[in-house]
Amino acid sequence: MKNSAKPAIVAATLAASMMIAFTGTASAQCGGASWYALTSKTASGERMNPSAMTAAHRSLPFGTKLRVTNQKNGKSVIVRINDRGPFIKGRVLDLSKGAAQQIGFIKSGHTSVCMERQS
């Protein structure tokens, strides 16, 4: 193999491994979740609808769909990212009140969840 081809192969291998690592991390992320029910504008510019199946995440692109599973009872819901947050250590998602109700943690206010991207 020519020496000029080696950097291209290394770059392609690194890019592929980064893509796999990102996908794996995003599909297996677990942590705390809380819920909120404001009616102000979200970071995406749309008005918050407490009964919609939406969520806030610190960095996922707006419009990303996630399956969120409550680790305490196994219930899950599909949400769409439309806001930024949460800003409390240990929490990975802020769900709308409607989504939190679907997976059963309104009363406690927070729970442990795992999330995976949906296509």
Side-chain angles (χ1 to χ4, degrees), residues 5-92:
K6 287 182 183 179
I9 292 172
V10 170
T13 303
L14 285 173
S17 64
M18 287 172 61
M19 187 75 117
I20 291 167
F22 177 76
T23 305
T25 302
S27 66
Q29 189 174 11
C30 297
S34 51
W35 64 269
Y36 68 125
L38 305 174
T39 56
S40 57
K41 280 194 175 181
T42 64
S44 67
E46 67 185 82
R47 182 138 324 265
M48 170 65 173
N49 176 353
S51 61
M53 299 299 118
T54 57
H57 188 276
R58 287 185 197 100
S59 61
L60 286 173
F62 296 134
T64 300
K65 291 186 179 179
L66 300 173
R67 175 179 302 278
V68 180
T69 303
N70 183 336
Q71 295 299 284
K72 295 181 180 175
N73 62 20
K75 292 181 180 181
S76 66
V77 66
I78 306 249
V79 298
R80 178 179 51 86
I81 301 300
N82 73 337
D83 205 0
R84 292 291 171 230
F87 301 107
I88 296 173
K89 187 176 180 174
R91 298 212 181 138
V92 295

